[in-house]
């Protein structure tokens, strides 16, 4: 049996913060405004995993009103969702990520982003796809005001019911 999950996240740029994507610091003049580290990639991935196992969304597990998560690294959120999936007998089959950003240009970082995600998910990099797109000048992303990310994940049953 397999389960498929879809996640989405977006954040506005904010000065004085590092830009963190998939747990990596990407050189840029601004970071993303959020209660945690603002990592749209790992937030979308967390929601995809939670969605695949019908376990709600990231906000239900990690409230942005909870001081414990202030500045938190988003890999913690992904690892929590993975633990829930594992407890249900599921493991990651593959993951497809699309990052929307006008700036910075992410193409030079795609392999490093995929490798970092693979490490967090404990899968081979061949199971991870990272794509970088622009929004062609439309909306929050197109205006250069922030970054958004879509994530899809396939979980496969490895044990249990």
């Amino acid at each position: 049996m397999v389960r498929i999950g879809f996640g989405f996240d977006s954040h506005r740029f904010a000065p004085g913060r590092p830009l963190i994507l998939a747990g990596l610091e990407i050189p840029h003049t601004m970071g993303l405004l959020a209660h945690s580290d603002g990592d749209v990639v790992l937030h979308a991935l967390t929601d995809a995993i939670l969605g695949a196992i019908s376990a709600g969304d990231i906000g239900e597990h990690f409230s942005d009103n909870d001081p414990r998560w202030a500045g938190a690294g988003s890999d913690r959120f992904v690892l929590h969702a993975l633990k829930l999936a594992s407890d249900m007998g599921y493991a990651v089959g593959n993951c497809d990520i699309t990052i929307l950003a006008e700036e910075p240009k992410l193409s030079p970082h795609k392999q490093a982003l995929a490798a970092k995600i693979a490490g967090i998910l404990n899968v081979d990099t061949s199971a991870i796809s990272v794509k970088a797109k622009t929004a062609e000048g439309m909306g929050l992303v197109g205006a250069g005001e922030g970054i958004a990310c879509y994530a899809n994940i396939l979980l496969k049953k490895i044990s249990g019911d």
Side-chain angles (χ1 to χ4, degrees):
M1 180 175 180
V2 298
R3 288 180 170 243
I4 298 170
F6 173 77
F8 171 80
D9 195 38
S10 64
H11 288 287
R12 291 186 178 278
F13 282 121
R17 292 180 60 104
L19 177 59
I20 307 297
L21 298 175
L24 296 176
E25 187 168 341
I26 303 295
H28 193 52
T29 58
M30 291 186 280
L32 296 170
L33 183 62
H35 183 65
S36 67
D37 62 4
D39 190 330
V40 294
V41 174
L42 296 186
H43 293 180
L45 180 55
T46 300
D47 266 347
I49 297 166
L50 293 172
I53 60 170
S54 302
D57 63 44
I58 192 170
E60 294 173 48
H61 294 262
F62 302 98
S63 170
D64 61 4
N65 294 318
D66 189 333
R68 290 181 298 167
W69 312 123
S74 296
D75 57 330
R76 294 174 65 183
F77 307 154
V78 175
L79 293 173
H80 169 79
L82 277 177
K83 171 80 166 79
L84 295 176
S86 176
D87 289 349
M88 293 176 64
Y90 286 92
V92 174
N94 72 299
C95 177
D96 186 24
I97 302 283
T98 302
I99 307 167
L100 297 170
E102 298 298 314
E103 292 290 333
K105 297 301 179 198
L106 296 175
S107 290
H109 304 285
K110 290 191 307 185
Q111 287 183 323
L113 293 166
K116 183 69 172 180
I117 294 165
I120 294 167
L121 297 178
N122 196 29
V123 297
D124 191 82
T125 56
S126 66
I128 307 298
S129 170
V130 174
K131 300 178 296 292
K133 304 288 183 184
T134 69
E136 302 293 331
M138 298 180 292
L140 170 118
V141 171
E145 296 176 21
I147 296 179
C149 184
Y150 296 97
N152 285 293
I153 196 156
L154 180 126
L155 300 178
K156 56 187 178 182
K157 191 74 163 173
I158 54 171
S159 65
D161 295 333

